[in-house]
Amino acid sequence: MKGPDTPVPLWRRPFHLIRTNLRAYLLVNVFAYGLFIVGFIVGLMFPALNAARSVALEDDGTAELVQGLVATPPLFALAILAVNVGKLSLATIVLPSLVVPFAGFAFFGYWAVETGITLAPTTPTAWVQFIPHSLTVVIELQAYVLLLLGTWLLGRHWVSPATVGATTRGRAYLRGLGRVGILALAAFVLLVVGALWEAYSLRYFLYPLTELLL
């Protein structure tokens, strides 16, 4: 029988943090998925915005890169994972929050709305293609929710060290970093799953699904 001081196994620590911060976790979910849905609705209501995003992706080479990699799912999955970890997880959410408390929420919020606009289907074919991609959205957003929860805990401890019983902001900051790291492990697992699903679903599911439904 485990006592109250029994260490929590590493694989259970993310779930432990979620349970002990359940209200914050639920609010972060509302924030992340809610802003994506807002952008999605805006994209449906204003197709010109969606079209502008498509043009921007073509101009910056993203669309061409996707077309070049989609035939090779393992390589495509690695590219997706690299972008999701480097550009979104680190540069958008974690690193800004290490400098300014909660800054990652502002950068992520902008990205979530913009992504919702980009992914809004405006043609029958796009609606069919969004069916498998909707699972990608759910998985990857959940990974970002975990990172946002980690940065929220970091910011909260940093601003109010007493919340973790720390006597200095430095100690509270380090404890917050530990919590970010624990949740980042779970987020990374989700990002791997999301990258694999996105790469293989685009390669093998889209064409048969389009032929079946259209």
Side-chain angles (χ1 to χ4, degrees), residues 190-211:
L190 286 175
L191 290 176
V192 170
V193 173
L196 289 172
W197 169 253
E198 183 174 1
Y200 281 89
S201 65
L202 284 175
R203 178 66 178 87
Y204 295 111
F205 293 167
L206 283 190
Y207 180 75
L209 196 60
T210 302
E211 289 293 301

Side-chain angles (χ1 to χ4, degrees), residues 59-210:
D59 290 344
D60 67 13
T62 301
E64 183 179 356
L65 178 63
V66 170
Q67 292 173 0
L69 292 176
V70 71
T72 312
L75 186 59
F76 190 26
L78 283 175
I80 293 168
L81 183 63
V83 171
N84 290 346
V85 170
K87 182 179 179 180
L88 297 174
S89 299
L90 291 176
T92 302
I93 300 174
V94 176
L95 293 180
S97 300
L98 298 183
V99 180
V100 179
F102 314 112
F105 279 81
F107 290 106
F108 175 83
Y110 177 83
W111 173 87
V113 174
E114 184 179 60
T115 301
I117 293 173
T118 303
L119 296 181
T122 55
T123 65
T125 300
W127 272 108
V128 172
Q129 293 175 346
F130 187 72
I131 293 173
H133 197 65
S134 60
L135 180 58
T136 304
V137 171
V138 171
I139 294 171
E140 292 181 353
L141 280 181
Q142 188 57 212
Y144 303 139
V145 163
L146 294 179
L147 292 171
L148 288 167
L149 177 61
T151 59
W152 180 83
L153 292 173
L154 171 64
R156 180 174 173 237
H157 299 342
W158 193 0
V159 172
S160 302
T163 57
V164 283
T167 55
T168 66
R169 293 188 188 277
R171 290 182 180 178
Y173 185 86
L174 291 177
R175 292 187 187 182
L177 282 180
R179 285 158 172 76
V180 171
I182 290 170
L183 290 168
L185 291 175
F188 181 76
V189 172
L190 286 175
L191 290 176
V192 170
V193 173
L196 289 172
W197 169 253
E198 183 174 1
Y200 281 89
S201 65
L202 284 175
R203 178 66 178 87
Y204 295 111
F205 293 167
L206 283 190
Y207 180 75
L209 196 60
T210 302

